[in-house]
Amino acid sequence: GEDVEQSLFLSVREGDSSVINCTYTDSSSTYLYWYKQEPGAGLQLLTYIFSNMDMKQDQRLTVLLNKKDKHLSLRIADTQTGDSAIYFCAESTTNAGKSTFGDGTTLTVKP
Amino acid sequence: DAGVTQSPTHLIKTRGQQVTLRCSPKSGHDTVSWYQQALGQGPQFIFQYYEEEERQRGNFPDRFSGHQFPNYSSELNVNALLLGDSALYLCASSPDGTGRPYEQYFGPGTRLTVT
């Protein structure tokens, strides 16, 4: 079945770039997403990429997709303390609605 | 414009009891999905409702059931609660019956604790 894996923790200094990595197993994944979850809150969709794309940039966020290796990354430029949160990678196929999530990467930004 | 709302915020139940969680989708959305997020884990898909029917289901037992009303709001029911059902239950809505996850908005969740 589908599986999504992420490293559990990442710590960076304010102003540095953060890179969060994710691997997935389902070769039929069509959509890949990054969500942010702050303490006590639901999930906020940060960005997504279609499987026919290699890269997507949205302000401070850059998503890179290596479909051959089934590897997805999220780069946050100029990381701020407000970026401290749990970041989830997720994937879905063309099946409507069902997304498979990783267990999240806790990003800690130190001043 | 209100986003996705869920009630209650927190709930404590005893093993064996039954619970009902509620969700109101974002205005203009007609598809509702439910997820279970155990502590320290990512959300797991329970099921999705569209046009008052369960359209897709994840790997959850029949103790988990749901309903969607004509106004698109939805309920999640869990019978015979187990300790392992303790989790944050997230509702997500999306528009136009597509269920396209990239147009999916999540609510703040209901924290269920089973003792």
Side-chain angles (χ1 to χ4, degrees), chain B residues 7-8 11 19-23 34 74-77 89 110 112:
Chain B
S7 63
L11 204 51
V19 69
T20 297
L21 310 182
R22 296 176 176 82
C23 171
W34 287 92
S74 177
E75 288 182 349
L76 164 65
N77 301 293
Y89 287 85
T110 293
L112 172 65

Side-chain angles (χ1 to χ4, degrees), chain A residues 8-18 20 35-42 44 46 60-61 74 76-88 104-111:
Chain A
L8 291 181
F9 301 100
L10 177 65
S11 180
V12 301
R13 291 278 179 198
E14 191 173 20
D16 289 348
S17 292
S18 307
I20 303 172
Y35 286 87
K36 177 182 181 182
Q37 187 174 41
E38 295 180 272
Q44 174 194 354
L46 287 177
R60 292 192 298 125
L61 305 178
L74 173 69
I76 305 173
D78 187 25
T79 313
Q80 302 298 307
T81 55
D83 294 323
S84 293
I86 303 175
Y87 291 79
F88 290 95
T105 299
T106 299
L107 173 64
T108 302
V109 182
K110 299 179 179 178

Side-chain angles (χ1 to χ4, degrees), chain A residues 10-77:
Chain A
L10 177 65
S11 180
V12 301
R13 291 278 179 198
E14 191 173 20
D16 289 348
S17 292
S18 307
V19 179
I20 303 172
N21 295 300
C22 167
T23 57
Y24 59 98
T25 58
D26 192 347
S27 57
S28 61
S29 296
T30 304
Y31 311 103
L32 296 128
Y33 318 87
W34 285 104
Y35 286 87
K36 177 182 181 182
Q37 187 174 41
E38 295 180 272
L43 294 171
Q44 174 194 354
L45 177 64
L46 287 177
T47 187
Y48 63 92
I49 190 169
F50 296 113
S51 61
N52 60 358
M53 298 167 65
D54 298 324
M55 185 183 87
K56 182 178 181 181
Q57 189 153 3
D58 184 1
Q59 298 182 329
R60 292 192 298 125
L61 305 178
T62 303
V63 178
L64 295 178
L65 174 60
N66 182 327
K67 195 174 179 182
K68 173 177 170 288
D69 294 337
K70 299 189 187 68
H71 182 267
L72 183 74
S73 67
L74 173 69
R75 178 177 180 271
I76 305 173

Side-chain angles (χ1 to χ4, degrees), chain B residues 1-114:
Chain B
D1 173 29
V4 180
T5 59
Q6 294 186 243
S7 63
T9 306
H10 295 89
L11 204 51
I12 300 174
K13 289 287 189 178
T14 303
R15 215 167 15 170
Q17 286 188 318
Q18 178 264 343
V19 69
T20 297
L21 310 182
R22 296 176 176 82
C23 171
S24 290
K26 181 178 169 61
S27 177
H29 287 190
D30 58 6
T31 303
V32 173
S33 301
W34 287 92
Y35 290 81
Q36 179 195 66
Q37 185 179 14
L39 198 61
Q41 296 182 17
Q44 286 196 294
F45 178 80
I46 303 175
F47 42 53
Q48 183 184 81
Y49 276 84
Y50 171 64
E51 292 187 338
E52 302 178 48
E53 296 280 336
E54 182 183 294
R55 178 160 71 174
Q56 195 174 12
R57 189 178 182 93
N59 189 24
F60 278 80
D62 292 346
R63 298 187 298 108
F64 289 77
S65 63
H67 188 76
Q68 186 179 35
F69 299 93
N71 66 353
Y72 309 122
S73 66
S74 177
E75 288 182 349
L76 164 65
N77 301 293
V78 187
N79 294 323
L81 284 166
L82 303 174
L83 296 179
D85 295 331
S86 295
L88 180 68
Y89 287 85
L90 295 166
C91 169
S93 71
S94 51
D96 300 324
T98 63
R100 286 192 294 258
Y102 56 86
E103 296 180 19
Q104 191 166 240
Y105 287 81
F106 280 82
T110 293
R111 172 72 63 187
L112 172 65
T113 302
V114 182

